[in-house]
Amino acid sequence: RSAVLMLTKGLIGPGGQLPSEYVDERVRARAIACLGGPAHAREAVSGSAALVLGSADEELRAQIGEVFDRAGLVCERSHDVTGVEMAGAAKNAAALAAAAAEPHGLNAAGIAVAAIWRECIDHAVARGAELETFAGLAGVGGLTATMMAPAGRNRRAGELLGTGTPADEIPAKIGQASEGLDTVPLLAETVVASGAEAAALSGLAALIRGEFDAEEWIASLRAVERGRRAA
Protein backbone atom coordinates (compact mmCIF):
# COMPACT_ATOMS: atom_id res chain seq x y z
CA ARG A 1 0.00 0.00 0.00
CA SER A 2 3.02 2.31 -0.08
CA ALA A 3 3.11 5.16 -2.57
CA VAL A 4 5.93 7.33 -3.90
CA LEU A 5 5.97 11.13 -4.22
CA MET A 6 8.59 12.36 -6.71
CA LEU A 7 10.37 15.58 -5.74
CA THR A 8 12.52 16.07 -8.82
CA LYS A 9 12.52 17.72 -12.25
CA GLY A 10 14.26 16.75 -15.47
CA LEU A 11 14.83 13.59 -17.49
CA ILE A 12 16.75 10.39 -16.75
CA GLY A 13 19.58 9.44 -19.10
CA PRO A 14 20.41 7.90 -21.40
CA GLY A 15 16.95 7.42 -22.89
CA GLY A 16 15.19 10.54 -21.64
CA GLN A 17 12.80 8.77 -19.28
CA LEU A 18 10.55 10.78 -17.02
CA PRO A 19 11.31 10.30 -13.30
CA SER A 20 7.93 8.65 -12.69
CA GLU A 21 8.60 6.13 -15.50
CA TYR A 22 12.05 5.35 -14.13
CA VAL A 23 10.75 4.75 -10.60
CA ASP A 24 7.71 2.79 -11.76
CA GLU A 25 10.00 0.25 -13.45
CA ARG A 26 12.03 -0.26 -10.27
CA VAL A 27 9.71 0.19 -7.29
CA ARG A 28 6.61 -1.86 -6.53
CA ALA A 29 4.56 1.10 -5.35
CA ARG A 30 0.77 1.29 -5.12
CA ALA A 31 0.87 4.61 -6.92
CA ILE A 32 3.28 7.38 -7.90
CA ALA A 33 2.80 11.13 -7.67
CA CYS A 34 4.94 14.09 -8.71
CA LEU A 35 5.11 17.80 -7.89
CA GLY A 36 5.27 20.65 -10.38
CA GLY A 37 4.30 24.28 -10.66
CA PRO A 38 5.97 27.43 -9.34
CA ALA A 39 6.53 26.05 -5.81
CA HIS A 40 9.28 28.56 -5.03
CA ALA A 41 11.23 27.03 -2.15
CA ARG A 42 11.35 30.12 0.09
CA GLU A 43 7.64 30.75 -0.41
CA ALA A 44 6.86 27.08 0.28
CA VAL A 45 8.45 27.45 3.71
CA SER A 46 6.23 30.45 4.44
CA GLY A 47 3.14 28.56 3.24
CA SER A 48 2.46 30.87 0.28
CA ALA A 49 3.66 28.74 -2.64
CA ALA A 50 1.55 27.24 -5.42
CA LEU A 51 2.17 23.78 -6.79
CA VAL A 52 0.67 21.02 -8.91
CA LEU A 53 0.26 17.48 -7.63
CA GLY A 54 0.22 14.98 -10.47
CA SER A 55 -0.87 11.36 -10.11
CA ALA A 56 -2.92 8.90 -12.11
CA ASP A 57 -4.26 7.58 -8.79
CA GLU A 58 -7.27 9.60 -7.63
CA GLU A 59 -7.02 8.38 -4.02
CA LEU A 60 -3.36 9.42 -3.77
CA ARG A 61 -4.13 12.84 -5.27
CA ALA A 62 -6.77 13.39 -2.62
CA GLN A 63 -4.59 12.09 0.22
CA ILE A 64 -1.48 14.16 -0.51
CA GLY A 65 -3.44 17.15 -1.78
CA GLU A 66 -5.19 17.42 1.56
CA VAL A 67 -1.81 17.62 3.31
CA PHE A 68 -0.78 20.56 1.15
CA ASP A 69 -4.18 22.21 1.60
CA ARG A 70 -3.79 22.04 5.37
CA ALA A 71 -0.32 23.58 5.06
CA GLY A 72 -1.92 26.61 3.41
CA LEU A 73 -0.42 26.01 -0.04
CA VAL A 74 -2.29 26.39 -3.31
CA CYS A 75 -2.39 22.81 -4.57
CA GLU A 76 -3.78 22.04 -8.01
CA ARG A 77 -4.49 18.35 -8.67
CA SER A 78 -3.82 16.74 -12.05
CA HIS A 79 -4.01 13.23 -13.47
CA ASP A 80 -1.56 14.27 -16.23
CA VAL A 81 1.73 13.02 -14.78
CA THR A 82 3.51 13.17 -18.13
CA GLY A 83 2.44 16.78 -18.63
CA VAL A 84 3.45 17.89 -15.13
CA GLU A 85 6.88 16.27 -15.37
CA MET A 86 7.54 17.42 -18.94
CA ALA A 87 6.50 20.96 -17.97
CA GLY A 88 9.06 20.89 -15.16
CA ALA A 89 11.83 19.99 -17.60
CA ALA A 90 10.59 22.44 -20.23
CA LYS A 91 10.37 25.46 -17.93
CA ASN A 92 13.99 25.03 -16.83
CA ALA A 93 15.13 24.75 -20.45
CA ALA A 94 13.10 27.79 -21.53
CA ALA A 95 14.18 29.90 -18.55
CA LEU A 96 17.83 29.05 -19.22
CA ALA A 97 17.35 30.02 -22.87
CA ALA A 98 15.70 33.34 -21.99
CA ALA A 99 18.49 34.36 -19.63
CA ALA A 100 21.19 33.33 -22.12
CA ALA A 101 19.54 35.34 -24.91
CA GLU A 102 18.63 38.44 -22.86
CA PRO A 103 22.13 40.05 -23.07
CA HIS A 104 21.58 40.10 -26.84
CA GLY A 105 18.20 41.82 -26.64
CA LEU A 106 14.72 41.29 -25.24
CA ASN A 107 13.44 40.24 -28.65
CA ALA A 108 16.12 37.55 -28.74
CA ALA A 109 14.99 36.37 -25.30
CA GLY A 110 11.37 36.24 -26.50
CA ILE A 111 12.30 34.19 -29.57
CA ALA A 112 14.36 31.80 -27.44
CA VAL A 113 11.55 31.16 -24.95
CA ALA A 114 8.93 30.68 -27.65
CA ALA A 115 11.07 28.30 -29.71
CA ILE A 116 12.16 26.12 -26.78
CA TRP A 117 8.69 26.08 -25.20
CA ARG A 118 7.02 25.12 -28.50
CA GLU A 119 9.37 22.20 -29.13
CA CYS A 120 8.96 20.91 -25.57
CA ILE A 121 5.16 21.11 -25.73
CA ASP A 122 5.00 19.34 -29.09
CA HIS A 123 7.18 16.53 -27.73
CA ALA A 124 5.21 16.27 -24.48
CA VAL A 125 1.86 16.06 -26.29
CA ALA A 126 3.28 13.35 -28.55
CA ARG A 127 4.15 11.43 -25.36
CA GLY A 128 0.57 11.69 -24.14
CA ALA A 129 0.63 14.94 -22.14
CA GLU A 130 -2.34 17.28 -22.19
CA LEU A 131 -1.88 20.72 -23.73
CA GLU A 132 -3.94 22.28 -20.92
CA THR A 133 -1.24 21.35 -18.40
CA PHE A 134 1.21 23.71 -20.10
CA ALA A 135 -1.26 26.59 -19.86
CA GLY A 136 -1.65 26.17 -16.09
CA LEU A 137 0.45 26.32 -12.94
CA ALA A 138 2.76 23.46 -13.94
CA GLY A 139 3.53 25.09 -17.30
CA VAL A 140 3.24 28.86 -17.67
CA GLY A 141 3.11 29.29 -13.89
CA GLY A 142 6.37 27.43 -13.31
CA LEU A 143 8.03 29.08 -16.31
CA THR A 144 7.14 32.60 -15.15
CA ALA A 145 8.32 32.03 -11.59
CA THR A 146 11.61 30.55 -12.79
CA MET A 147 12.29 33.35 -15.26
CA MET A 148 11.51 36.10 -12.74
CA ALA A 149 13.44 34.74 -9.75
CA PRO A 150 16.41 37.18 -9.43
CA ALA A 151 18.65 34.59 -7.79
CA GLY A 152 17.25 31.55 -9.60
CA ARG A 153 19.83 28.92 -10.56
CA ASN A 154 18.65 28.55 -14.14
CA ARG A 155 18.39 32.29 -14.65
CA ARG A 156 21.90 32.90 -13.29
CA ALA A 157 23.32 29.99 -15.29
CA GLY A 158 21.72 31.34 -18.46
CA GLU A 159 23.11 34.82 -17.87
CA LEU A 160 26.62 33.42 -17.51
CA LEU A 161 26.22 31.15 -20.52
CA GLY A 162 24.99 34.04 -22.65
CA THR A 163 27.99 36.19 -21.79
CA GLY A 164 30.55 33.53 -22.67
CA THR A 165 31.16 31.54 -19.49
CA PRO A 166 31.83 27.86 -20.31
CA ALA A 167 29.07 25.60 -18.99
CA ASP A 168 31.42 23.46 -16.92
CA GLU A 169 32.54 26.55 -14.95
CA ILE A 170 29.03 27.76 -14.14
CA PRO A 171 28.11 25.50 -11.17
CA ALA A 172 31.17 26.67 -9.24
CA LYS A 173 30.40 30.31 -9.98
CA ILE A 174 26.80 30.13 -8.74
CA GLY A 175 27.57 27.71 -5.92
CA GLN A 176 25.03 25.07 -6.92
CA ALA A 177 23.88 22.98 -9.84
CA SER A 178 21.57 24.33 -12.54
CA GLU A 179 19.08 21.73 -13.72
CA GLY A 180 18.76 23.34 -17.13
CA LEU A 181 22.42 22.78 -18.04
CA ASP A 182 21.94 19.04 -17.56
CA THR A 183 18.39 18.81 -18.88
CA VAL A 184 18.75 20.61 -22.21
CA PRO A 185 21.26 18.28 -23.93
CA LEU A 186 19.30 15.20 -22.87
CA LEU A 187 16.00 16.81 -23.82
CA ALA A 188 17.38 17.73 -27.24
CA GLU A 189 18.62 14.18 -27.84
CA THR A 190 15.28 12.74 -26.74
CA VAL A 191 13.24 15.00 -29.01
CA VAL A 192 15.53 14.36 -31.99
CA ALA A 193 15.31 10.60 -31.41
CA SER A 194 11.51 10.83 -31.44
CA GLY A 195 11.63 12.39 -34.90
CA ALA A 196 10.14 15.71 -33.75
CA GLU A 197 11.40 19.23 -34.43
CA ALA A 198 14.29 20.16 -32.11
CA ALA A 199 16.27 22.88 -33.86
CA ALA A 200 16.05 25.34 -30.95
CA LEU A 201 16.80 22.73 -28.29
CA SER A 202 19.70 21.34 -30.33
CA GLY A 203 21.13 24.83 -30.76
CA LEU A 204 20.94 25.53 -27.03
CA ALA A 205 22.57 22.16 -26.33
CA ALA A 206 25.38 23.10 -28.74
CA LEU A 207 25.84 26.39 -26.86
CA ILE A 208 26.10 24.46 -23.57
CA ARG A 209 28.68 22.10 -25.11
CA GLY A 210 30.71 25.06 -26.37
CA GLU A 211 30.13 24.31 -30.06
CA PHE A 212 28.44 27.70 -30.60
CA ASP A 213 29.06 31.09 -29.10
CA ALA A 214 26.02 33.05 -27.96
CA GLU A 215 25.80 35.24 -31.06
CA GLU A 216 25.86 32.20 -33.36
CA TRP A 217 23.14 30.61 -31.25
CA ILE A 218 20.95 33.73 -31.46
CA ALA A 219 21.45 33.80 -35.23
CA SER A 220 20.39 30.15 -35.44
CA LEU A 221 17.26 30.90 -33.38
CA ARG A 222 16.29 33.73 -35.73
CA ALA A 223 16.82 31.42 -38.70
CA VAL A 224 14.59 28.77 -37.09
CA GLU A 225 11.85 31.32 -36.49
CA ARG A 226 12.08 32.72 -40.03
CA GLY A 227 11.93 29.22 -41.45
CA ARG A 228 8.88 28.34 -39.37
CA ARG A 229 7.05 31.47 -40.49
CA ALA A 230 7.94 30.85 -44.14
CA ALA A 231 6.58 27.32 -43.89
Side-chain angles (χ1 to χ4, degrees), residues 152-208:
R153 290 171 291 177
N154 290 291
R155 175 170 175 168
R156 183 64 184 133
E159 290 169 345
L160 291 169
L161 191 65
T163 52
T165 302
D168 58 1
E169 297 179 11
I170 290 176
K173 286 184 176 293
I174 64 177
Q176 51 191 325
S178 165
E179 304 99 314
L181 292 175
D182 296 323
T183 296
V184 168
L186 182 55
L187 187 54
E189 291 174 12
T190 303
V191 177
V192 168
S194 74
E197 175 64 37
L201 283 164
S202 296
L204 183 55
L207 177 64
I208 292 171

